[in-house]
Amino acid sequence: METGTSVDHPEPEPRHVPPAIQSIQQRLLAKYSYTPPIGIMYLAKIEAKDLFESKVKILRIMAVLDPMEEWLGRGAQAFENLRTATGEHSLDKLHNILSDLGSMGVNSESFSQLKGKVPLRRGWDEHSTT
């Protein structure tokens, strides 16, 4: 008798949800004044995961295009969106940013906007020669 994963019964997803995805999911569910049904919670988890993965892709591209900044450390600050109820950009918006960065690189509007949203490193201005 064999043991292991059956084709008919795939392994369940890991129970551990990374903190960043959990945080995004909580912001997406904050609009509910009650505990939403499990289906809505599951969809919010999927959306949170998609948003997180898109942001990571963007930050990795920015780290290559602009290696002087700490995109993989402080870059998440560039995604704060105070104009939405959740504080999140839409997935469509993030995909547009990915497309813009992919086609235009450092010459893209998205590159300029993201650079403008990440605070300068401390000490950088004080030690630069202009």
PDB file of all heavy atoms in Angstrom, residues 57-69 71-72 106 111:
ATOM      1  N   LYS A  57       7.042  41.788  -7.231  1.00  0.00           N
ATOM      2  CA  LYS A  57       7.590  41.843  -8.592  1.00  0.00           C
ATOM      3  C   LYS A  57       8.040  43.265  -8.929  1.00  0.00           C
ATOM      4  O   LYS A  57       9.119  43.472  -9.496  1.00  0.00           O
ATOM      5  CB  LYS A  57       6.559  41.372  -9.615  1.00  0.00           C
ATOM      6  CG  LYS A  57       6.325  39.889  -9.599  1.00  0.00           C
ATOM      7  CD  LYS A  57       5.224  39.514 -10.594  1.00  0.00           C
ATOM      8  CE  LYS A  57       4.859  38.055 -10.479  1.00  0.00           C
ATOM      9  NZ  LYS A  57       3.742  37.691 -11.371  1.00  0.00           N
ATOM     10  N   ILE A  58       7.212  44.234  -8.587  1.00  0.00           N
ATOM     11  CA  ILE A  58       7.545  45.637  -8.864  1.00  0.00           C
ATOM     12  C   ILE A  58       8.798  46.035  -8.098  1.00  0.00           C
ATOM     13  O   ILE A  58       9.714  46.665  -8.646  1.00  0.00           O
ATOM     14  CB  ILE A  58       6.363  46.564  -8.517  1.00  0.00           C
ATOM     15  CG1 ILE A  58       5.213  46.327  -9.484  1.00  0.00           C
ATOM     16  CG2 ILE A  58       6.790  48.033  -8.530  1.00  0.00           C
ATOM     17  CD1 ILE A  58       3.892  46.965  -9.071  1.00  0.00           C
ATOM     18  N   LEU A  59       8.874  45.679  -6.828  1.00  0.00           N
ATOM     19  CA  LEU A  59      10.031  46.049  -6.011  1.00  0.00           C
ATOM     20  C   LEU A  59      11.315  45.395  -6.526  1.00  0.00           C
ATOM     21  O   LEU A  59      12.382  46.022  -6.493  1.00  0.00           O
ATOM     22  CB  LEU A  59       9.791  45.689  -4.546  1.00  0.00           C
ATOM     23  CG  LEU A  59       8.704  46.512  -3.858  1.00  0.00           C
ATOM     24  CD1 LEU A  59       8.458  45.998  -2.450  1.00  0.00           C
ATOM     25  CD2 LEU A  59       9.059  47.992  -3.837  1.00  0.00           C
ATOM     26  N   ARG A  60      11.213  44.183  -7.013  1.00  0.00           N
ATOM     27  CA  ARG A  60      12.403  43.520  -7.575  1.00  0.00           C
ATOM     28  C   ARG A  60      12.873  44.228  -8.841  1.00  0.00           C
ATOM     29  O   ARG A  60      14.071  44.372  -9.075  1.00  0.00           O
ATOM     30  CB  ARG A  60      12.113  42.054  -7.839  1.00  0.00           C
ATOM     31  CG  ARG A  60      12.042  41.248  -6.569  1.00  0.00           C
ATOM     32  CD  ARG A  60      11.811  39.788  -6.828  1.00  0.00           C
ATOM     33  NE  ARG A  60      11.830  39.050  -5.573  1.00  0.00           N
ATOM     34  CZ  ARG A  60      11.265  37.883  -5.392  1.00  0.00           C
ATOM     35  NH1 ARG A  60      10.618  37.297  -6.378  1.00  0.00           N
ATOM     36  NH2 ARG A  60      11.329  37.282  -4.223  1.00  0.00           N
ATOM     37  N   ILE A  61      11.939  44.664  -9.666  1.00  0.00           N
ATOM     38  CA  ILE A  61      12.305  45.424 -10.870  1.00  0.00           C
ATOM     39  C   ILE A  61      12.939  46.745 -10.470  1.00  0.00           C
ATOM     40  O   ILE A  61      13.975  47.143 -11.014  1.00  0.00           O
ATOM     41  CB  ILE A  61      11.068  45.649 -11.774  1.00  0.00           C
ATOM     42  CG1 ILE A  61      10.598  44.326 -12.367  1.00  0.00           C
ATOM     43  CG2 ILE A  61      11.383  46.660 -12.881  1.00  0.00           C
ATOM     44  CD1 ILE A  61       9.256  44.399 -13.078  1.00  0.00           C
ATOM     45  N   MET A  62      12.319  47.437  -9.502  1.00  0.00           N
ATOM     46  CA  MET A  62      12.864  48.725  -9.055  1.00  0.00           C
ATOM     47  C   MET A  62      14.264  48.566  -8.463  1.00  0.00           C
ATOM     48  O   MET A  62      15.117  49.436  -8.629  1.00  0.00           O
ATOM     49  CB  MET A  62      11.921  49.384  -8.041  1.00  0.00           C
ATOM     50  CG  MET A  62      10.623  49.899  -8.636  1.00  0.00           C
ATOM     51  SD  MET A  62      10.844  51.173  -9.914  1.00  0.00           S
ATOM     52  CE  MET A  62      11.465  52.542  -8.926  1.00  0.00           C
ATOM     53  N   ALA A  63      14.519  47.458  -7.776  1.00  0.00           N
ATOM     54  CA  ALA A  63      15.841  47.214  -7.185  1.00  0.00           C
ATOM     55  C   ALA A  63      16.914  47.103  -8.268  1.00  0.00           C
ATOM     56  O   ALA A  63      18.061  47.518  -8.060  1.00  0.00           O
ATOM     57  CB  ALA A  63      15.813  45.949  -6.327  1.00  0.00           C
ATOM     58  N   VAL A  64      16.530  46.585  -9.432  1.00  0.00           N
ATOM     59  CA  VAL A  64      17.476  46.489 -10.546  1.00  0.00           C
ATOM     60  C   VAL A  64      17.620  47.844 -11.244  1.00  0.00           C
ATOM     61  O   VAL A  64      18.734  48.277 -11.549  1.00  0.00           O
ATOM     62  CB  VAL A  64      17.013  45.408 -11.558  1.00  0.00           C
ATOM     63  CG1 VAL A  64      17.851  45.443 -12.821  1.00  0.00           C
ATOM     64  CG2 VAL A  64      17.060  44.030 -10.908  1.00  0.00           C
ATOM     65  N   LEU A  65      16.492  48.517 -11.464  1.00  0.00           N
ATOM     66  CA  LEU A  65      16.524  49.804 -12.164  1.00  0.00           C
ATOM     67  C   LEU A  65      17.154  50.915 -11.331  1.00  0.00           C
ATOM     68  O   LEU A  65      17.736  51.843 -11.880  1.00  0.00           O
ATOM     69  CB  LEU A  65      15.099  50.225 -12.565  1.00  0.00           C
ATOM     70  CG  LEU A  65      14.379  49.340 -13.581  1.00  0.00           C
ATOM     71  CD1 LEU A  65      12.953  49.831 -13.781  1.00  0.00           C
ATOM     72  CD2 LEU A  65      15.137  49.283 -14.900  1.00  0.00           C
ATOM     73  N   ASP A  66      17.034  50.832 -10.019  1.00  0.00           N
ATOM     74  CA  ASP A  66      17.507  51.886  -9.118  1.00  0.00           C
ATOM     75  C   ASP A  66      18.244  51.260  -7.924  1.00  0.00           C
ATOM     76  O   ASP A  66      17.744  51.248  -6.805  1.00  0.00           O
ATOM     77  CB  ASP A  66      16.312  52.711  -8.639  1.00  0.00           C
ATOM     78  CG  ASP A  66      16.715  53.904  -7.799  1.00  0.00           C
ATOM     79  OD1 ASP A  66      17.851  54.395  -7.940  1.00  0.00           O
ATOM     80  OD2 ASP A  66      15.878  54.343  -6.992  1.00  0.00           O
ATOM     81  N   PRO A  67      19.442  50.705  -8.168  1.00  0.00           N
ATOM     82  CA  PRO A  67      20.144  49.969  -7.112  1.00  0.00           C
ATOM     83  C   PRO A  67      20.631  50.833  -5.950  1.00  0.00           C
ATOM     84  O   PRO A  67      21.018  50.288  -4.916  1.00  0.00           O
ATOM     85  CB  PRO A  67      21.326  49.327  -7.853  1.00  0.00           C
ATOM     86  CG  PRO A  67      21.519  50.138  -9.084  1.00  0.00           C
ATOM     87  CD  PRO A  67      20.173  50.704  -9.425  1.00  0.00           C
ATOM     88  N   MET A  68      20.566  52.138  -6.060  1.00  0.00           N
ATOM     89  CA  MET A  68      21.016  53.013  -4.969  1.00  0.00           C
ATOM     90  C   MET A  68      20.000  53.085  -3.833  1.00  0.00           C
ATOM     91  O   MET A  68      20.326  53.488  -2.736  1.00  0.00           O
ATOM     92  CB  MET A  68      21.314  54.428  -5.487  1.00  0.00           C
ATOM     93  CG  MET A  68      22.452  54.484  -6.490  1.00  0.00           C
ATOM     94  SD  MET A  68      24.016  53.901  -5.811  1.00  0.00           S
ATOM     95  CE  MET A  68      24.369  55.209  -4.664  1.00  0.00           C
ATOM     96  N   GLU A  69      18.768  52.710  -4.090  1.00  0.00           N
ATOM     97  CA  GLU A  69      17.731  52.728  -3.061  1.00  0.00           C
ATOM     98  C   GLU A  69      17.529  51.329  -2.490  1.00  0.00           C
ATOM     99  O   GLU A  69      17.868  50.346  -3.126  1.00  0.00           O
ATOM    100  CB  GLU A  69      16.404  53.254  -3.626  1.00  0.00           C
ATOM    101  CG  GLU A  69      16.418  54.725  -3.938  1.00  0.00           C
ATOM    102  CD  GLU A  69      16.594  55.616  -2.718  1.00  0.00           C
ATOM    103  OE1 GLU A  69      16.259  55.199  -1.606  1.00  0.00           O
ATOM    104  OE2 GLU A  69      17.080  56.731  -2.898  1.00  0.00           O
ATOM    105  N   TRP A  71      14.991  49.189  -2.195  1.00  0.00           N
ATOM    106  CA  TRP A  71      13.638  48.840  -2.621  1.00  0.00           C
ATOM    107  C   TRP A  71      13.103  47.601  -1.926  1.00  0.00           C
ATOM    108  O   TRP A  71      11.921  47.523  -1.620  1.00  0.00           O
ATOM    109  CB  TRP A  71      13.590  48.672  -4.134  1.00  0.00           C
ATOM    110  CG  TRP A  71      13.706  49.983  -4.815  1.00  0.00           C
ATOM    111  CD1 TRP A  71      14.819  50.506  -5.401  1.00  0.00           C
ATOM    112  CD2 TRP A  71      12.696  50.987  -4.912  1.00  0.00           C
ATOM    113  NE1 TRP A  71      14.554  51.769  -5.867  1.00  0.00           N
ATOM    114  CE2 TRP A  71      13.255  52.095  -5.581  1.00  0.00           C
ATOM    115  CE3 TRP A  71      11.369  51.063  -4.498  1.00  0.00           C
ATOM    116  CZ2 TRP A  71      12.544  53.243  -5.865  1.00  0.00           C
ATOM    117  CZ3 TRP A  71      10.649  52.207  -4.773  1.00  0.00           C
ATOM    118  CH2 TRP A  71      11.227  53.288  -5.447  1.00  0.00           C
ATOM    119  N   LEU A  72      13.967  46.637  -1.674  1.00  0.00           N
ATOM    120  CA  LEU A  72      13.486  45.408  -1.050  1.00  0.00           C
ATOM    121  C   LEU A  72      13.312  45.574   0.452  1.00  0.00           C
ATOM    122  O   LEU A  72      12.697  44.747   1.095  1.00  0.00           O
ATOM    123  CB  LEU A  72      14.425  44.252  -1.372  1.00  0.00           C
ATOM    124  CG  LEU A  72      14.539  43.940  -2.868  1.00  0.00           C
ATOM    125  CD1 LEU A  72      15.506  42.785  -3.099  1.00  0.00           C
ATOM    126  CD2 LEU A  72      13.189  43.624  -3.478  1.00  0.00           C
ATOM    127  N   VAL A 106      13.518  52.951 -16.617  1.00  0.00           N
ATOM    128  CA  VAL A 106      13.757  54.179 -15.860  1.00  0.00           C
ATOM    129  C   VAL A 106      13.100  55.394 -16.497  1.00  0.00           C
ATOM    130  O   VAL A 106      12.963  56.438 -15.859  1.00  0.00           O
ATOM    131  CB  VAL A 106      15.273  54.453 -15.650  1.00  0.00           C
ATOM    132  CG1 VAL A 106      15.902  53.367 -14.806  1.00  0.00           C
ATOM    133  CG2 VAL A 106      15.994  54.605 -16.970  1.00  0.00           C
ATOM    134  N   PHE A 111       8.171  54.594 -12.794  1.00  0.00           N
ATOM    135  CA  PHE A 111       9.472  54.666 -12.131  1.00  0.00           C
ATOM    136  C   PHE A 111       9.596  55.987 -11.363  1.00  0.00           C
ATOM    137  O   PHE A 111       9.947  55.998 -10.187  1.00  0.00           O
ATOM    138  CB  PHE A 111      10.607  54.534 -13.158  1.00  0.00           C
ATOM    139  CG  PHE A 111      11.983  54.636 -12.564  1.00  0.00           C
ATOM    140  CD1 PHE A 111      12.587  53.525 -12.001  1.00  0.00           C
ATOM    141  CD2 PHE A 111      12.668  55.844 -12.571  1.00  0.00           C
ATOM    142  CE1 PHE A 111      13.857  53.603 -11.450  1.00  0.00           C
ATOM    143  CE2 PHE A 111      13.932  55.941 -12.023  1.00  0.00           C
ATOM    144  CZ  PHE A 111      14.536  54.824 -11.458  1.00  0.00           C
TER     145      PHE A 111
END
